[in-house]
Amino acid sequence: MKSTFEKMGGTYTLGADGIYYPNLVSTDEEPHYGKYGMMRKTYLKEHRPAMYSLYMLEDRLTAHLNAVDDEAKERMEVLLLQMMEKQGITEALKAHDQMAWFGVVNNIRNAAEEMVLVELIYR
């Protein structure tokens, strides 16, 4: 009679001690997430423990965090460009008054990041 593991396609290897050991291979993808993925993971752990546990049990946590991180980075780039264009921030301003340009760009970056956090991380 086959075990449930064998019915699902799993195999065993006979060890030197006479015990059969399951051949386990991780299907989880490599983590490449950064700042936003780590923030999402912390949020899930602290505020959505059931969802975090579900992702862990289904072996989908790393894939989810990678996807959230990638999407957040793309969204930040788009928002920065759109907001800078709308406010008329140009290279001419950067060449004329670097401190003013730096201040405005930092404000835009902070506003864009707040939007990304609300839309993607803390949902």
Side-chain angles (χ1 to χ4, degrees):
M1 179 173 186
K2 288 187 172 186
S3 68
T4 304
F5 182 68
E6 290 174 308
K7 289 177 186 175
M8 293 174 56
T11 59
Y12 293 95
T13 301
L14 180 61
D17 55 2
I19 298 175
Y20 284 95
Y21 294 97
N23 297 322
L24 301 175
V25 177
S26 175
T27 59
D28 197 20
E29 65 180 84
E30 286 295 316
H32 67 265
Y33 56 87
K35 172 183 175 180
Y36 299 109
M38 288 187 273
M39 291 172 81
R40 177 69 175 166
K41 184 177 182 180
T42 301
Y43 173 75
L44 289 174
K45 273 185 178 179
E46 294 176 2
H47 300 283
R48 301 277 192 261
M51 187 182 291
Y52 179 79
S53 296
L54 181 65
Y55 281 133
M56 289 290 287
L57 288 172
E58 294 178 350
D59 201 24
R60 297 185 307 148
L61 182 63
T62 303
H64 173 71
L65 297 177
N66 286 340
V68 167
D69 191 71
D70 293 342
E71 188 175 350
K73 286 177 184 174
E74 288 175 21
R75 185 78 174 124
M76 275 294 291
E77 288 177 19
V78 169
L79 283 172
L80 282 172
L81 292 175
Q82 288 176 346
M83 293 171 81
M84 286 175 69
E85 183 179 320
K86 186 163 182 104
Q87 292 189 21
I89 308 303
T90 62
E91 289 296 318
L93 175 63
K94 184 177 181 181
H96 180 265
D97 188 359
Q98 287 183 347
M99 292 305 289
W101 179 87
F102 187 74
V104 173
V105 170
N106 273 345
N107 287 339
I108 290 172
R109 184 177 294 117
N110 290 337
E113 184 165 55
E114 186 65 30
M115 286 189 241
V116 167
L117 294 178
V118 169
E119 291 175 4
L120 300 173
I121 307 301
Y122 305 135
R123 60 177 169 87

